[in-house]
Amino acid sequence: MDDKAFEPKILGFLCNWCSYAGADLAGVSRLQYPANIRIIRVMCSGGISPHHLLHAFQKGADGVLIGGCHIGDCHYLKGNYMTMKRVKFLEGLLQFAGYDPRRLRLEWISAAEGLRFAEVVREFTDQIRSLGPAPTFEAVPGMDAHPSEAFSGRGEFMA
Amino acid sequence: MDTKIKSLLLEGRVDGFWGYRTMNGFPFPRLFTKENANELEPWRPTVARYPVLKLLLREMRMHSDRTYGVLVRGCEERGLRELFKWKQLEPDKVVVVGQACSRELADCCECRQPFPDLLDYGEPAAPVTQSRKVDALQAMAMSERRAWWLTHMNRCIHCHGCRDVCPVCFCTECSLEHRELVSGAKLPPDSSFHLVRAVHMGGRCIDCGLCEEICPARIPLRSLYKEVNRLVEEIFDYRPGVDEGMSPFTFPGDELLLPTG
Ligand code: SF4
Ligand code: SF4
Ligand code: SF4
């Protein structure tokens, strides 16, 4: 697929108190940013389960942006600490399963940072554009040959 | 195993004991009571592994007033600790007798603690701290690794065996059966089935490897969960079944617990 034909689909999970307000500010300030992002407003970035993030990829997102309040500014005191660790965990898991963790991005964006929001969306869209469409979670035909069981480690005791 | 366990039973310290009895040359899990205590055999090392914690859990849910004993390996002791933390079992209702795993089993499991802290039988084998299988996977290029996993996961028959055998899978509702998360209609399920479960095992998996051992499709699940555990340790500084305290994934901390049952 050539770069021009590919328009990344990006899903944004933005926390109600900071990042969503930041996006709102970008809107009312008439700041330009790519229209590739669809936004879901959540009460706290800490409420985003890794399941939601996986599901976004499962449903065809090419990139997922998570926006939360800056550390120390969480309305629920420590929600964003949780977000930070969970995202790191999921990045590691995706990497190990062979999916590029750069498709997941966590940013702290405050209600006053409309400019920053527009910038992040622009940057992230460019990055996903250069990464190309996300691979699916499904095996493609030809991938179903039985691989070597060298790592399986079983069988040693199963005569 | 005969004398120690027999005295537990005859002295009435436990109402039942989950041990093993040889059948057709193989050890099988068996519930011993006062009545069949004479069938207990001397302890001997074995590489046979069973989901004894599942058997124990089931038995204790049926008879919550009784006290049970169980012969545990290192991973089973870790599993018990998690079940206590998650209030699935009561510590004062479980009496533990520990057995060490052989050198060859520890190597096969790449086990970091192939013996329980409370050791009654066997010689403790040296821990295996590095996973050759995980290292080999990490050494691959990302796309190669994806192809490798997909080739394996593509054989999944969606039988839920990996979940059903897992000693620390005890939820009454399972996200793997949630239609919005995992499509039940697709065979094989896409790899999100395995990733959803891997996410759910974060902070809980005690690295027993039963999921891999039971999988009829021979999917090398243990390597996936070994990496999950490595990440949890690196990011949350927590080792399930070894460290004190609840899973770091519980939020807000230990106020949040799953319902029992
Ligand atoms: S993981 Fe394997 S070696 Fe480790 S305690 Fe369990 S059975 Fe033994
Ligand atoms: S190794 Fe598999 S069966 Fe054992 S605790 Fe982890 S996920 Fe469950
Ligand atoms: S046990 Fe194996 S085949 Fe069955 S659901 Fe789990 S991974 Fe798939």
Side-chain angles (χ1 to χ4, degrees), chain A residues 113-150:
Chain A
E113 291 175 313
L115 209 57
R116 169 129 186 79
F117 174 78
E119 210 176 271
V120 164
V121 174
R122 207 175 305 125
E123 251 178 56
F124 191 45
T125 309
D126 284 347
Q127 177 162 53
I128 300 298
R129 205 183 293 276
S130 68
L131 290 176
T136 74
F137 280 146
E138 287 175 63
V140 297
M143 257 190 191
D144 46 74
H146 284 243
S148 137
E149 304 218 357

Side-chain angles (χ1 to χ4, degrees), chain B residues 1-6 8-9 14 16-22 27-32 39-57 60 67-80 83-84 89 93-101 105 114-123 167 208 210:
Chain B
M1 141 166 118
D2 42 358
T3 46
K4 176 153 188 169
I5 295 167
K6 195 177 271 172
L8 283 176
L9 285 166
V14 296
F17 192 97
W18 278 105
Y20 298 89
R21 172 146 180 87
T22 311
F28 274 93
R30 164 80 149 236
L31 182 64
F32 293 97
E39 289 177 22
L40 279 157
E41 296 165 353
W43 180 82
R44 64 184 174 91
T46 160
V47 293
R49 305 194 308 132
Y50 295 94
V52 277
L53 294 189
K54 283 281 189 194
L55 298 172
L56 177 73
L57 195 59
M60 297 203 77
T67 302
Y68 287 94
V70 60
L71 181 66
V72 295
R73 298 182 186 276
C75 52
E76 290 156 348
E77 187 185 57
R78 298 196 286 279
L80 269 180
L83 293 173
F84 293 150
L89 287 176
K93 290 244 160 82
V94 183
V95 176
V96 169
V97 174
Q99 61 173 338
C101 292
L105 185 52
F115 49 85
D117 286 342
L118 295 166
L119 184 60
D120 296 270
Y121 299 109
E123 284 298 312
C208 66
L210 286 177

Side-chain angles (χ1 to χ4, degrees), chain B residues 49 73-76 78 100-116 125-133 206-209 222 226 239 242:
Chain B
R49 305 194 308 132
R73 298 182 186 276
C75 52
E76 290 156 348
R78 298 196 286 279
C101 292
S102 63
R103 166 84 271 149
E104 52 170 355
L105 185 52
D107 284 341
C108 175
C109 291
E110 302 187 322
C111 182
R112 286 179 65 174
Q113 205 194 326
F115 49 85
V128 182
T129 46
Q130 204 63 14
S131 169
R132 182 177 56 88
K133 299 165 194 170
I206 41 83
D207 186 30
C208 66
R222 193 172 199 167
K226 275 198 190 288
R239 285 177 66 191
V242 179

Side-chain angles (χ1 to χ4, degrees), chain B residues 162 165-168 197 201 204-211 225:
Chain B
C162 45
V165 80
C166 176
V168 287
R197 185 166 134 76
M201 295 325 292
R204 265 211 271 183
C205 171
I206 41 83
D207 186 30
C208 66
L210 286 177
C211 48
Y225 298 123

Side-chain angles (χ1 to χ4, degrees), chain B residues 156-162 193-194 215-217 219 221:
Chain B
C156 179
I157 58 164
H158 208 168
C159 66
H160 289 130
C162 45
F193 172 84
H194 304 274
C215 176
I219 300 172
L221 297 164

Side-chain angles (χ1 to χ4, degrees), chain A residues 3-15:
Chain A
D3 282 2
K4 281 203 190 77
F6 170 58
E7 276 304 326
K9 284 195 283 291
I10 294 172
L11 188 66
F13 289 102
L14 303 182
C15 110

